[in-house]
């Protein structure tokens, strides 16, 4: 049961109510997986223009490839990032879960994990790791499934959708219990700042604002199921003459109404998950019906490429002299120099990375 008056993101007079275990574990695993992803990426083996090359195998891709100081799209895909072809063509349905553990770069990692620590630890202390964990992972998966309708051939990763799910759950808890909360204005201001930061980071390559929107939607619904103990005055909404069944002032009928709404929300969640899974398997492209959706997910820039139609990928011109190869992507006009002896399959891989 909720206490009479408490704060979600700020400590009340009674202080901390519990311990946080799940959120620190998620943060630790996410950080370690980012290091592993950079090791798998191995930029020096594929490019001589790596950022912070002193880091050796852990050095970052050129900023023109990844402006967030991170790996290439191919490395993110190997580690479990989502894209329309891996889910629609290869039916790898595990990717909407695996992608929420990965991050596109150091900037992305810091923004996501700091936001998660700030929001998640307080929620876990208040509601426990089971409920917070269910909301985090289910909203993250739901956001990833929604994202698949718009990312096309691009690789997308990140836990931002899951963090947005926690934000949506907070909104779902506060609004029905408005009178029970202190510090609502600073709470919503804090959530607003976090949401704006996550939205801005979602305009960069390999991150998708549609996963944020989907995560928030699922978080709202999941928040009602796991968090909200709505204290509505049901007597204001009587739709029948007063009798034993419509007397919403009794505890029994209040519980019945809450249970009914909860069942409806659970059914709606199941339907939404089913719809998004079917659409993802069919490879439906939401951008065909929305002219501005690509810009909502990634702002095109001369400094990076947002990706696009799969037909546009792997179209390169190359010239080889001795052990030196010059490769130019015809889609974004990026050029790269490579040293070594290359097979045709290697050239195709380099071309795909250069055009991603």
């Amino acid at each position: 049961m909720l206490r009479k008056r408490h704060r979600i993101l700020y400590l009340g007079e009674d202080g901390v109510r519990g311990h946080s275990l799940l959120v620190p574990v998620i943060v630790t695993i996410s950080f370690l997986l980012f290091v592993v992803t950079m090791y798998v990426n191995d930029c020096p083996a594929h490019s001589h223009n790596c950022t912070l090359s002193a880091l050796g195998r852990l050095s970052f891709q050129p900023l023109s490839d990844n402006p967030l100081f991170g790996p290439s799209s191919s490395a993110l895909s190997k580690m479990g990032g989502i894209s329309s072809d891996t889910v629609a063509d290869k039916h790898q349905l595990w990717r909407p879960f695996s992608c929420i553990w990965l991050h596109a770069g150091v900037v992305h990692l810091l923004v996501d994990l700091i936001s998660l620590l700030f929001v998640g630890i307080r929620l876990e202390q208040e509601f426990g790791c089971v409920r917070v964990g269910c909301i985090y992972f289910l909203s993250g998966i739901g956001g990833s499934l929604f994202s698949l309708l718009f990312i096309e051939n691009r690789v997308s990763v990140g836990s931002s959708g899951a963090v947005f799910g926690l934000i949506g759950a907070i909104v779902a808890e506060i609004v029905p219990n408005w009178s029970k909360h202190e510090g609502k204005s600073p709470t919503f201001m804090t959530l607003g700042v976090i949401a704006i930061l996550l939205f801005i980071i979602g305009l960069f390559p390999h991150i998708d604002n549609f996963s944020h929107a989907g995560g928030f939607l699922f978080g709202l619904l999941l928040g009602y199921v796991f968090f909200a103990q709505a204290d509505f005055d049901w007597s204001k909404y009587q739709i029948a003459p007063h009798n034993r069944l419509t007397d919403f002032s009794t505890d029994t009928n209040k519980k019945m109404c809450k249970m009914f709404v909860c069942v409806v929300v659970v059914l709606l969640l199941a339907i939404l998950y089913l719809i998004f899974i079917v659409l993802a398997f069919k490879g439906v492209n939401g951008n065909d019906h929305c002219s501005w959706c690509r810009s909502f997910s990634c702002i095109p820039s001369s400094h990076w490429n947002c990706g696009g139609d799969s037909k546009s990928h792997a179209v390169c011109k190359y010239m080889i002299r001795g052990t030196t190869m010059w490769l130019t992507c015809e889609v974004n006009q990026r050029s790269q120099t490579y040293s070594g002896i290359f097979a045709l399959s290697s050239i195709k891989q380099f071309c795909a990375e250069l055009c991603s």
Side-chain angles (χ1 to χ4, degrees):
M1 294 294 292
L2 297 175
R3 304 196 176 191
K4 178 57 183 174
R5 297 183 68 82
H6 66 278
R7 303 182 181 191
I8 290 293
L9 297 182
Y10 301 91
L11 296 180
E13 296 179 356
D14 50 355
V16 178
R17 295 178 176 80
H19 301 285
S20 176
L21 175 63
L22 177 66
V23 171
V25 169
I26 292 175
V27 170
T28 303
I29 293 176
S30 297
F31 176 80
L32 293 176
L33 282 176
F34 180 75
V35 175
V36 172
T37 303
M38 294 308 307
Y39 183 84
V40 171
N41 182 64
D42 192 11
C43 180
H46 305 99
S47 173
H48 294 282
N49 299 321
C50 300
T51 304
L52 297 180
S53 56
L55 295 175
R57 183 160 182 162
L58 299 181
S59 58
F60 309 118
Q61 289 294 117
L63 295 181
S64 58
D65 184 18
N66 189 335
L68 298 171
F69 296 94
S72 65
S73 58
S74 61
L76 291 172
S77 181
K78 288 178 183 177
M79 292 296 294
I82 57 171
S83 60
S84 58
D85 59 336
T86 55
V87 177
D89 298 337
K90 300 178 182 179
H91 291 178
Q92 297 175 347
L93 195 56
W94 49 269
R95 287 182 178 267
F97 174 76
S98 63
C99 74
I100 64 179
W101 295 93
L102 306 174
H103 292 84
V106 172
V107 178
H108 185 206
L109 181 74
L110 291 176
V111 172
D112 270 15
L113 297 190
I114 291 175
S115 300
L116 175 59
L117 286 170
F118 195 84
V119 176
I121 284 182
R122 188 68 187 93
L123 280 180
E124 192 177 353
Q125 291 170 343
E126 179 69 39
F127 296 101
C129 64
V130 175
R131 285 189 282 182
V132 171
C134 287
I135 292 174
Y136 180 85
F137 290 113
L138 290 176
S139 59
I141 293 171
S144 298
L145 290 172
F146 184 62
S147 173
L148 283 167
L149 301 179
F150 300 95
I151 60 175
E152 298 178 305
N153 197 50
R154 292 181 292 109
V155 178
S156 178
V157 296
S159 60
S160 306
V163 176
F164 261 98
L166 295 180
I167 294 175
I170 292 174
V171 174
E173 201 283 334
I174 290 179
V175 173
N177 301 285
W178 190 262
S179 62
K180 291 185 177 182
H181 291 283
E182 298 175 345
K184 292 182 283 288
S185 295
T187 296
F188 277 109
M189 288 179 62
T190 302
L191 294 178
V193 171
I194 293 174
I196 291 173
L197 288 175
L198 292 176
F199 173 78
I200 292 174
I201 203 75
L203 297 175
F204 285 83
H206 312 313
I207 311 170
D208 181 29
N209 273 324
F210 283 102
S211 69
H212 302 170
F216 182 79
L217 170 63
F218 280 95
L220 275 175
L221 298 174
L222 290 164
Y224 186 85
V225 175
F226 288 101
F227 284 175
Q229 300 291 329
D231 192 24
F232 290 119
D233 183 4
W234 294 98
S235 61
K236 295 180 180 179
Y237 306 100
Q238 291 187 15
I239 57 176
H242 179 82
N243 57 42
R244 184 174 60 84
L245 294 178
T246 59
D247 183 6
F248 295 117
S249 62
T250 64
D251 290 339
T252 301
N253 285 343
K254 276 186 178 181
K255 292 180 181 179
M256 289 177 60
C257 291
K258 292 176 184 179
M259 182 63 68
F260 174 77
V261 175
C262 187
V263 170
V264 171
V265 172
V266 170
L267 290 176
L268 178 59
L269 280 166
I271 293 172
L272 287 176
Y273 278 115
L274 180 61
I275 290 175
F276 288 151
I277 289 173
V278 171
L279 293 178
F281 266 26
K282 289 186 175 182
V284 174
N285 188 353
N287 296 293
D288 294 338
H289 311 284
C290 175
S291 59
W292 53 267
C293 285
R294 289 186 177 90
S295 296
F296 179 74
S297 181
C298 179
I299 293 181
S301 170
S302 59
H303 300 290
W304 63 75
N305 179 48
C306 291
D309 189 353
S310 59
K311 295 179 181 179
S312 304
H313 281 246
V315 180
C316 296
K317 293 181 180 179
Y318 66 93
M319 180 173 62
I320 300 178
R321 288 184 181 177
T323 58
T324 303
M325 178 178 67
W326 290 269
L327 195 65
T328 301
C329 175
E330 293 187 347
V331 178
N332 53 31
Q333 297 305 310
R334 291 184 191 164
S335 297
Q336 195 95 327
T337 303
Y338 304 86
S339 296
I341 300 176
F342 305 99
L344 181 59
S345 58
S346 299
I347 296 176
K348 290 182 177 180
Q349 180 182 352
F350 294 148
C351 180
E353 294 177 358
L354 196 61
C355 293
S356 63

